[in-house]
Amino acid sequence: MKHAVVTYRTWLALGALLLALAARASPENVAGESGALQLQAQLRADALKELQQVQLESVRAQLAAVDKRVDDLNTHVGQGVDRLGVYATIMGILVTVLLAGLGLLGFITVTRKTKAEAQEAARAWFERKATSLEERLQDIESKASLTQQQMDNSVQEVLDHSETVKKQHLNVVEQSLKYLQANMGQR
C-alpha cells in the first residue's frame, strides 16, 4: 500500500510539473502543447491504472485475509458447537442418572414410610379393638366352655340313660328267660 501511495504521489508531481510547463508555453508551441497534454493525460491514465491495480491487489489481499479469518472462525465455532454438544450430552446423562437415583431414593423412602404407617395403623387399630376383641374372645370361650359342659352332661345323661335302659332290658330278658324256663317245664 505504501508503494502505491509513493507511485501515485510521484505521478501527481510529474503531472503538476507538466501543467506548469504547459502554462508557460507560447501560442506557437500550442501544437507541441497538445502533444504534451496528451502525454500528460496518458501518464495520468497509466498512473491511475497502476494505482487502481495496486489498490485492487490490496483489496484482494484483504479479502483473502478476511476470508481466511472467517474460515478460521467457522472452524472454531464448529469445534465449539461440537464441544457444546458433548457437554450437553454429558450433562443430560448426569441429570438423568441423578433423577433416576433420586427417584429410587424417593421410592425406597416412600415404601419404608408407607410400611411403617401401615404397621402403626394396624397397631393402633388393634390397640383400639383389643379390649373388645378380648371381651368377645372371653365371651366365645365361656360359651364354648358352657356348651362343652352341656355336651358332656348330655353325653353323660345319654350314657346313664343307656345304662338304665340296658339294665332294664337285661332285667326284662332275664325275667323272660326265667319265665320261659319255668313255663317250659310245665307244658
Side-chain angles (χ1 to χ4, degrees):
M1 180 84 176
K2 192 172 188 179
H3 180 312
V5 173
V6 171
T7 304
Y8 178 69
R9 285 183 184 164
T10 305
W11 286 108
L12 281 178
L14 185 60
L17 180 63
L18 288 174
L19 279 175
L21 287 174
R24 287 188 187 168
S26 59
E28 63 252 357
N29 289 334
V30 171
E33 282 182 26
S34 171
L37 286 178
Q38 285 180 353
L39 177 64
Q40 183 183 10
Q42 182 65 36
L43 289 175
R44 272 189 190 171
D46 288 344
L48 285 176
K49 282 183 184 179
E50 184 179 328
L51 179 64
Q52 286 176 348
Q53 188 65 28
V54 169
Q55 287 176 345
L56 183 62
E57 288 176 15
S58 174
V59 168
R60 283 183 183 159
Q62 289 175 352
L63 282 175
V66 167
D67 190 40
K68 183 175 181 339
R69 180 68 181 149
V70 167
D71 285 343
D72 290 345
L73 288 175
N74 283 338
T75 302
H76 184 68
V77 167
Q79 290 172 349
V81 169
D82 289 344
R83 274 187 250 130
L84 180 64
V86 169
Y87 295 148
T89 302
I90 290 170
M91 286 299 290
I93 290 170
L94 289 175
V95 167
T96 302
V97 168
L98 179 66
L99 289 177
L102 290 175
L104 181 61
L105 180 65
F107 176 75
I108 291 170
T109 303
V110 167
T111 303
R112 286 181 182 168
K113 185 177 179 182
T114 303
K115 186 177 179 181
E117 287 176 358
Q119 287 176 343
E120 182 60 32
R123 187 176 297 114
W125 179 86
F126 186 73
E127 287 174 2
R128 280 194 320 261
K129 300 292 182 172
T131 306
S132 67
L133 289 175
E134 285 177 5
E135 290 173 359
R136 288 178 84 185
L137 279 174
Q138 287 174 356
D139 186 41
I140 291 170
E141 285 177 352
S142 67
K143 286 181 181 178
S145 175
L146 182 63
T147 304
Q148 181 68 36
Q149 240 179 0
Q150 287 174 349
M151 287 174 50
D152 288 344
N153 288 340
S154 294
V155 167
Q156 191 60 42
E157 286 176 7
V158 167
L159 287 174
D160 289 345
H161 182 68
S162 88
E163 274 302 313
T164 306
V165 169
K166 190 176 174 184
K167 284 181 185 176
Q168 287 175 354
H169 282 299
L170 281 175
N171 281 338
V172 169
V173 169
E174 281 179 16
Q175 287 175 0
S176 294
L177 277 174
K178 283 181 187 175
Y179 176 76
L180 283 174
Q181 285 174 355
N183 285 331
M184 254 189 146
Q186 288 178 356
R187 277 196 196 193

